[in-house]
């Protein structure tokens, strides 16, 4: 019978020295228990019966240790497990730099920027990559539990980096632990009065964040699609997003209503980007956290995210009677009402249908601004 986690937990340290308990299910593989109580997985392999330590339990799980043992016994040098070819010494900082540089050559710019932000903001390991433990990474992730979305994004970033390190031969196996996150379904939809409050606050707040909020309210597009918007993509009152820029890698064309076009026309600047970064004019605006905190400070509204404006847009479109396939075309949803084989054969752009939907929606926005405008000042503390 093979070793189990329960058996390993129950192993008692010897009175002196060390004692190795071998796994009957995998000859040559076992766990060594020291006098001090530490438990280390070991494997004996090769013609010369070489012995190698694989890692300590429970930082290295039993199932992962078995994988390493099988690789070592098979002498798979390409996987970096063979004792004759030790892992290269590389610091976490250097591995992070190389991962970012490699990502820049094969991944969208927005994704690389997010990797860079998350990895430099939340992970500060001053050690060799091979010295990283599951506990140290888990501790960094657990510190973010008060911000569930940021926590999950940070976990994905470090997991992606460590998997890359394994593929490059810098690590035998990723030290990132398996973690599960309980995410509450997003269902926040702002009411008409709240939209009116945000609209007037955006008017007073000004460029760039105020206009970003207003375009998010009016267009239903993703946050990144608005801040990354370029003048050269707008022609004949239609935004034509290139496939490389869009999340689902499909070209996306969406018309602008007259109200939205008026906002775009008044945006100042001398770059192709409508909302360039303050520090780098060639990169889009990215100061969301600080700007939104200042923007929301005087508002008497329930907590919301900028993505809630996209959900609110979709909900209002439904309330106004817009056909679902038109709304989904506006939102550029891949798995919508027109998907699969139907999506392959249906190449109709729905530009005119979207234009009509936007005209109806902008009329609705103007009506609620007029209706709730006189009393929104009471919502500003």
């Amino acid at each position: 019978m093979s070793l189990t986690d329960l058996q390993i937990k129950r192993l008692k340290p010897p009175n002196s020295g060390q004692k190795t308990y071998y796994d009957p299910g995998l000859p040559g593989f076992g766990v060594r228990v020291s006098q001090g109580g530490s438990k280390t997985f070991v494997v004996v392999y090769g013609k010369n019966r070489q012995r190698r330590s694989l890692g300590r339990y429970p930082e290295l799980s039993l199932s992962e240790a078995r994988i390493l043992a099988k690789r070592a016994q098979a002498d798979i040098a390409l996987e970096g497990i063979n004792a004759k070819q030790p892992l290269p010494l590389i610091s976490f900082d250097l591995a992070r730099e190389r991962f970012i540089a490699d990502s820049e050559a094969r991944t969208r710019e927005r994704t690389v920027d997010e990797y860079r932000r998350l990895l430099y903001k939340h992970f500060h390991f001053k050690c060799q990559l091979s010295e990283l433990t599951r506990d140290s990474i888990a501790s960094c992730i657990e510190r973010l539990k008060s911000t569930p979305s940021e926590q999950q994004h940070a976990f994905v970033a470090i997991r992606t980096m460590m998997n890359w390190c394994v593929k490059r031969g810098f690590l035998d196996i990723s030290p990132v632990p398996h973690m599960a996150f309980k995410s509450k379904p997003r269902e926040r939809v702002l009411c008409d009065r709240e939209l009116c409050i945000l609209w007037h606050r955006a008017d007073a707040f000004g460029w760039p964040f105020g206009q970003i909020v207003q375009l998010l309210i009016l267009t239903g597009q993703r946050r990144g699609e608005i801040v990354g918007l370029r003048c050269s993509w707008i022609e004949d009152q239609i935004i034509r997003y290139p496939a490389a820029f869009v999340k689902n890698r499909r070209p996306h064309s969406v018309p602008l209503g007259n109200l939205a076009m008026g906002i775009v026309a008044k945006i100042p600047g001398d770059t192709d980007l409508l909302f360039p970064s303050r520090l780098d004019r060639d990169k889009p605006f990215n100061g969301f956290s600080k700007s939104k905190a200042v923007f929301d400070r005087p508002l008497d509204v329930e907590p919301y995210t900028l993505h809630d404006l996209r959900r609110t847009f979709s909900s209002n479109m439904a309330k106004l009677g817009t056909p679902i396939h038109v709304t989904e075309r506006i939102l550029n949803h891949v798995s919508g009402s027109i998907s699969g084989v139907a999506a392959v054969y249906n190449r109709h752009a729905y530009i005119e249908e979207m234009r009509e939907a936007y005209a109806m929606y902008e009329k609705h926005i103007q009506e609620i601004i007029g209706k709730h405008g006189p009393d929104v000042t009471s919502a500003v503390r």
Side-chain angles (χ1 to χ4, degrees):
M1 182 181 294
S2 301
L3 282 173
T4 65
D5 279 296
L6 182 60
Q7 289 174 335
I8 294 174
K9 289 177 182 177
R10 290 179 175 176
L11 293 177
K12 296 182 179 179
N15 293 329
S16 61
Q18 301 173 334
K19 184 174 182 179
T20 302
Y21 298 85
Y22 287 99
D23 187 348
L26 181 58
F29 170 64
V31 59
R32 183 180 64 221
V33 185
S34 69
Q35 183 179 0
S38 64
K39 299 170 183 178
T40 305
F41 290 113
V42 297
V43 62
V44 176
Y45 66 101
K47 294 181 180 179
N48 299 325
R49 307 303 294 164
Q50 298 177 78
R51 183 188 183 100
R52 179 180 178 182
S53 297
L54 299 174
R56 287 194 175 186
Y57 179 85
E59 292 176 356
L60 179 66
S61 71
L62 176 58
S63 60
E64 291 168 337
R66 280 203 181 96
I67 292 173
L68 292 179
K70 290 177 182 178
R71 288 178 179 174
Q73 289 175 331
D75 197 25
I76 305 178
L78 292 178
E79 293 294 334
I81 304 302
N82 195 329
K84 296 177 182 178
Q85 297 184 6
L87 292 173
L89 288 178
I90 181 172
S91 68
F92 174 81
D93 286 345
L94 181 56
R96 180 173 55 190
E97 289 179 15
R98 292 188 180 180
F99 167 71
I100 295 296
D102 183 66
S103 298
E104 287 175 340
R106 57 185 175 82
T107 310
R108 288 185 307 159
E109 183 180 350
R110 284 192 294 160
T111 302
V112 176
D113 288 343
E114 187 68 354
Y115 283 157
R116 184 182 291 107
R117 182 186 72 82
L118 293 164
L119 292 172
Y120 278 90
K121 181 177 182 179
H122 301 302
F123 303 98
H124 308 283
F125 303 119
K126 300 301 179 183
C127 63
Q128 296 296 313
L129 195 64
S130 58
E131 296 173 351
L132 275 181
T133 65
R134 302 169 81 81
D135 181 64
S136 59
I137 292 176
S139 296
C140 289
I141 301 297
E142 288 166 356
R143 282 198 293 267
L144 302 175
K145 61 183 179 181
S146 61
T147 52
S149 179
E150 182 79 351
Q151 182 184 49
Q152 190 163 0
H153 290 156
F155 172 77
V156 171
I158 192 68
R159 182 183 63 185
T160 303
M161 175 186 162
M162 289 300 133
N163 288 341
W164 178 88
C165 289
V166 172
K167 292 177 182 178
R168 291 301 184 277
F170 298 149
L171 290 171
D172 284 337
I173 194 166
S174 170
V176 178
H178 297 290
M179 302 182 78
F181 302 93
K182 293 182 179 180
S183 56
K184 186 178 180 180
R186 296 172 176 173
E187 39 189 44
R188 173 88 161 97
V189 173
L190 281 71
C191 68
D192 289 349
R193 183 172 180 274
E194 289 176 317
L195 278 182
C196 186
I197 291 170
L198 264 60
W199 184 271
H200 284 285
R201 172 62 173 155
D203 262 342
F205 201 78
W207 185 84
F209 192 74
Q211 280 67 47
I212 290 172
V213 170
Q214 288 181 326
L215 287 178
L216 290 174
I217 291 174
L218 290 175
T219 66
Q221 300 306 293
R222 295 180 177 90
R223 185 181 79 175
E225 292 166 352
I226 291 299
V227 298
L229 187 57
R230 294 178 177 272
C231 296
S232 56
W233 295 349
I234 304 174
E235 185 178 357
D236 298 329
Q237 210 163 321
I238 297 175
I239 303 174
R240 291 181 171 85
Y241 290 108
F245 177 80
V246 181
K247 181 179 180 181
N248 57 28
R249 298 285 184 172
R250 301 193 315 180
H252 178 43
S253 296
V254 60
L256 284 173
N258 292 332
L259 187 55
M261 195 65 198
I263 293 172
V264 170
K266 294 178 181 178
I267 291 176
D270 54 1
T271 67
D272 194 26
L273 278 168
L274 264 67
F275 303 105
S277 167
R278 183 173 58 86
L279 300 178
D280 188 343
R281 306 290 289 176
D282 293 326
K283 291 188 176 182
F285 172 87
N286 60 3
F288 288 102
S289 297
K290 292 181 179 179
S291 295
K292 188 173 182 297
V294 177
F295 182 90
D296 290 346
R297 194 172 296 151
L299 301 182
D300 185 17
V301 296
E302 293 296 318
Y304 71 98
T305 67
L306 292 179
H307 192 78
D308 292 335
L309 299 178
R310 182 171 162 89
R311 188 179 307 103
T312 301
F313 173 90
S314 178
S315 299
N316 280 330
M317 280 293 189
K319 185 169 64 175
L320 294 171
T322 303
I324 184 64
H325 64 275
V326 176
T327 302
E328 288 176 343
R329 186 61 65 121
I330 289 173
L331 299 177
N332 200 21
H333 280 166
V334 174
S335 57
S337 59
I338 303 177
S339 58
V341 175
V344 173
Y345 288 98
N346 186 352
R347 294 301 185 183
H348 180 49
Y350 291 95
I351 292 294
E352 291 307 315
E353 291 87 344
M354 287 191 285
R355 202 186 298 277
E356 291 176 8
Y358 269 125
M360 184 169 53
Y361 181 69
E362 287 195 350
K363 181 180 178 182
H364 170 71
I365 292 295
Q366 289 172 320
E367 287 175 352
I368 66 173
I369 291 173
K371 178 181 178 181
H372 297 283
D375 67 339
V376 295
T377 51
S378 62
V380 180
R381 302 184 189 92

